[in-house]
Amino acid sequence: MTPTTETTVGIGGAAESTDMVLNIGPQHPSTHGVLRLRIVLDGERIVSAEPVIGYMHRGAEKLFEARDYRQIIVLANRHDWLSAFSNELGVVIAVERMLGMEVPTRAVWTRTLLAELNRVLNHLMFLGSYPLELGGITPVFYAFREREVLQNVMEEVSGGRMHYMFNRVGGLKEDVPAGWATRARGAVAAVRSRMDVFDDLVLGNEIFRGRTRGVGALSPEAVHAYGVSGPIARASGVDFDLRRDEPYLAYGELQDTLKVVTRSDGDCLARFECLLGQTHNALDLADACLDRLAELPPGPVNQRLPKVLKAPEGHTYAWTENPLGINGYYLVSKGEKTPYRLKLRSASYNNIQALAELLPGTLVSDMVAILGSLFFVVGDIDK
């Protein structure tokens, strides 16, 4: 009898066991950024998952300490490149609170309008790219068409397509151009009239529903444990939205229009439905802001600031309902022209941690469906 040799083949650190360690990434999946997942497999089933972050880390929080209060806005609007206007808002609101500054009414309503348009831009990206990650290429073309309509409006008012730099401490850079409100209203109407593409083409697709229904269910307890927020949390039945529960800007006067979309299943399909429902409501909020701006008399959109802007000594915390969830800004000042400390709590950082809870026990084939349904931007994780 010919002697045989038995060889055990393993991968990575699991060579001595039957499990296989698989690195997903680091690569750049679509627009979300460079993320790495270290997953341990038992056959086709995931045993454990560890998100490995830091590949896009730029040290924004330390750079805040070396820039004055006007300059930090350019850093703040870049970590979540799909929510640039909303990122700027949190910083300027925190500084204005430190200064005890009151923002002109016209600026408040314009900020609210642009924040909701930015919310639609953010959501359209994920409404298009998520089906793409599941094999459906058509919706992304529709999403980019609608995004282009709104991008033109945002570019006209601010001069920027992604990084708007339109907020200023005390208000806005300038008032909107003549006739812009009419063009903005037309853009909102055009996008709303074509949103049934996502209602019918995506949600009505049996393959999409088969890949997402009952997959990656996140419990409300896990939402609270990991600090998950935004549409992902509301898809698990956690009914919390800062625009309603702690209103800022003009949201206190928009409660009749604001509808917080929730679901109870907590799965991939519920997360997509929450994102889609929130997009519809953001378009309604934009129309309500345009109506109010039309009623306001002409007036200033910013406050006159000193040549050297210094915040008084102290600290404050401002948080906003960004498109992807709650962004928090903890500002500490020593009375200088630069922040002593500015800590950023970004939505994606907390949301992506839930992967360690969601992926174990699921099949590898469901991993991309779960990963894409968390609607994250890696720059928002790494800061």
Side-chain angles (χ1 to χ4, degrees), residues 8 22 35 47 77 119 128 148 172 190 204 235 298 331 346 353 368 375:
T8 302
L22 185 65
L35 177 70
V47 176
N77 73 8
R119 193 180 308 276
E148 200 63 28
L172 296 169
L331 173 63
S346 61
Q353 293 180 89
V368 173
F375 311 129

Side-chain angles (χ1 to χ4, degrees), residues 105-289:
T105 303
R106 189 169 187 81
V108 170
W109 281 95
T110 306
R111 278 179 173 181
T112 310
L113 166 62
L114 295 176
E116 291 305 312
L117 292 178
N118 192 199
R119 193 180 308 276
V120 177
L121 282 170
N122 175 289
H123 291 355
L124 281 171
M125 174 62 77
F126 290 106
L127 291 173
S129 68
Y130 185 48
L132 177 64
E133 289 160 2
L134 298 180
I137 192 172
T138 307
V140 76
F141 296 124
Y142 289 103
F144 269 85
R145 180 186 66 180
E146 311 314 332
R147 275 176 54 84
E148 200 63 28
V149 172
L150 293 177
Q151 286 281 25
N152 290 337
V153 169
M154 295 293 283
E155 184 178 14
E156 181 187 358
V157 75
S158 67
R161 284 185 63 80
M162 287 187 69
H163 306 302
Y164 305 109
M165 279 301 295
F166 198 56
N167 279 289
R168 295 292 186 272
V169 176
L172 296 169
K173 174 187 173 186
E174 58 196 7
D175 205 347
V176 300
W180 178 86
T182 302
R183 291 186 287 277
R185 194 182 294 276
V188 170
V191 172
R192 181 189 286 109
S193 70
R194 297 194 289 253
M195 284 300 292
D196 60 342
V197 166
F198 302 99
D199 293 316
D200 301 333
L201 183 66
V202 181
L203 282 181
N205 185 289
E206 61 183 59
I207 298 175
F208 179 83
R209 298 184 75 87
R211 290 290 305 276
T212 56
R213 187 194 286 115
V215 175
L218 185 65
S219 68
E221 293 76 20
V223 167
H224 292 301
Y226 286 94
V228 174
S229 60
I232 302 171
R234 292 191 282 274
S236 296
V238 179
D239 188 4
F240 182 70
D241 190 313
L242 286 174
R243 297 173 298 168
R244 179 197 63 196
D245 301 322
E246 287 195 25
Y248 59 99
L249 295 181
Y251 289 115
E253 300 181 49
L254 291 169
Q255 297 302 303
D256 291 339
T257 308
L258 176 62
K259 300 291 185 292
V260 180
V261 182
T262 61
R263 294 290 185 274
S264 58
D265 294 336
D267 56 9
C268 295
L269 181 60
R271 290 190 278 275
F272 188 86
E273 288 176 341
C274 277
L275 199 75
L276 181 57
Q278 195 165 281
T279 307
H280 283 288
N281 187 238
L283 292 169
D284 293 340
L285 288 168
D287 266 341
C289 290

